[in-house]
Amino acid sequence: MRSERVKEAGAAMSLEVKICGLSEPRTLDAALDAGADVVGLVSFPKSPRHVSVEQAATLAARARGRARVALLTVDATDNLIAELVAATMADILQLHGQESPERVRALRLIFGREVWKAVPIGEAADVALAQPYWDVADRVLFDARPPAGASLPGGNGVAFDWRLLADLDPKQSFVLSGGLTPDSVVEAVQTTRARAVDVSSGVERGPGVKDPDLIAAFVTRARSAAVSSSQR
Ligand SMILES: O=C(O)c1ccccc1NCC(=O)[C@H](O)[C@H](O)COP(=O)(O)O
């Protein structure tokens, strides 16, 4: 019995924290110094967080050995992903477009990387959109559905109703994303019992302008959320 409790506590306390959309060494270092588990690099030219292949290579080299690197793409071609993977040796491919389950399966086979598939949540029925991805992706990343007229499929600083995830099988390992902030991450983790969280806008002073203090606060609060959840 005790070993189960210890295992559960360990699992709950091993909340993984991803800081996404890092684009310069100074704020990447802030995320690394804060203890982020994953740093996300966005390859999507319309994004204020977009980095070139060369920039991604520099940032990934800086993170190596300190955090896992997630490459974030949107309906990207094999060639672009191959170029980015070769330049960064990224650990995770985060697919944030309309990629089908078959595409997810194929990319995982081609590149041999962990694959996270973003699923947009706007209403209860949207949670079922994750169904076909559980078996092909390593993780589903639940993000808020972009608001009408948004130019980005993610990184919009919009949260969804976390209660919509209440009926998920606890064995399903997902990443909670969408509008999280240092002030909301504790409630978000306690509401969803997420084992991983992801943030971009909530640690920025402006679009694409990451703030080291907000990054540190987010990681600290997320860690405290994991501890308090494990004690419930
Ligand atoms: O961050 C972006 O600019 C972005 C652009 C295009 C597709 C996805 C993007 N971000 C994906 C992420 O993983 C974000 O961290 C996630 O959407 C949460 O963003 P936020 O609500 O701003 O915290």
Side-chain angles (χ1 to χ4, degrees):
M1 185 59 176
R2 174 171 154 61
S3 62
E4 277 310 305
R5 274 210 304 276
V6 168
K7 211 184 297 176
E8 194 176 288
M13 289 177 68
S14 64
L15 180 79
E16 199 164 41
V17 181
K18 171 180 172 249
I19 306 294
C20 194
L22 292 157
S23 57
E24 54 176 275
R26 181 180 65 90
T27 48
L28 174 82
D29 287 352
L32 298 172
D33 293 345
D37 301 291
V38 181
V39 290
L41 306 177
V42 173
S43 174
F44 188 66
K46 285 185 191 165
S47 168
R49 305 154 186 122
H50 172 76
V51 290
S52 66
V53 174
E54 294 71 24
Q55 288 172 310
T58 301
L59 294 167
R62 210 171 175 99
R64 196 156 298 122
R66 298 185 66 190
R68 296 199 299 157
V69 175
L71 276 179
L72 191 133
T73 58
V74 179
D75 298 319
T77 63
D78 289 8
N79 287 348
L80 173 58
I81 297 175
E83 196 180 3
L84 286 163
V85 168
T88 63
M89 295 194 280
D91 306 279
I92 300 162
L93 299 181
Q94 180 176 320
L95 308 175
H96 222 102
Q98 307 286 322
E99 297 86 355
S100 68
E102 294 71 27
R103 179 68 173 150
V104 171
R105 183 194 300 273
L107 290 173
R108 194 168 181 278
L109 281 175
I110 294 168
F111 294 103
R113 262 48 182 200
E114 187 170 327
V115 174
W116 296 3
K117 178 65 185 91
V119 172
I121 303 295
E123 57 185 29
D126 292 336
V127 178
L129 296 173
Q131 196 51 48
Y133 292 104
W134 290 119
D135 291 340
V136 292
D138 295 278
R139 275 188 174 164
V140 166
L141 180 140
F142 287 114
D143 195 358
R145 184 170 290 283
S151 59
L152 303 178
N156 293 299
V158 175
F160 63 91
D161 182 349
W162 303 318
R163 293 171 299 180
L164 296 178
L165 304 184
D167 297 335
L168 275 180
D169 180 339
K171 289 195 294 293
Q172 299 288 21
S173 173
F174 63 89
V175 183
L176 180 65
S177 182
L180 296 179
T181 69
D183 293 333
S184 71
V185 67
V186 172
E187 182 190 352
V189 170
Q190 290 176 344
T191 304
T192 64
R193 300 191 70 77
R195 281 179 267 162
V197 291
D198 162 62
V199 66
S200 193
S201 307
V203 293
E204 293 179 344
R205 287 279 175 234
V209 184
K210 290 289 190 279
D211 179 277
D213 292 335
L214 289 175
I215 290 172
F218 184 85
V219 176
T220 300
R221 298 279 182 80
R223 297 280 186 243
S224 73
V227 171
S228 55
S229 289
S230 69
Q231 287 161 349
R232 287 171 57 152

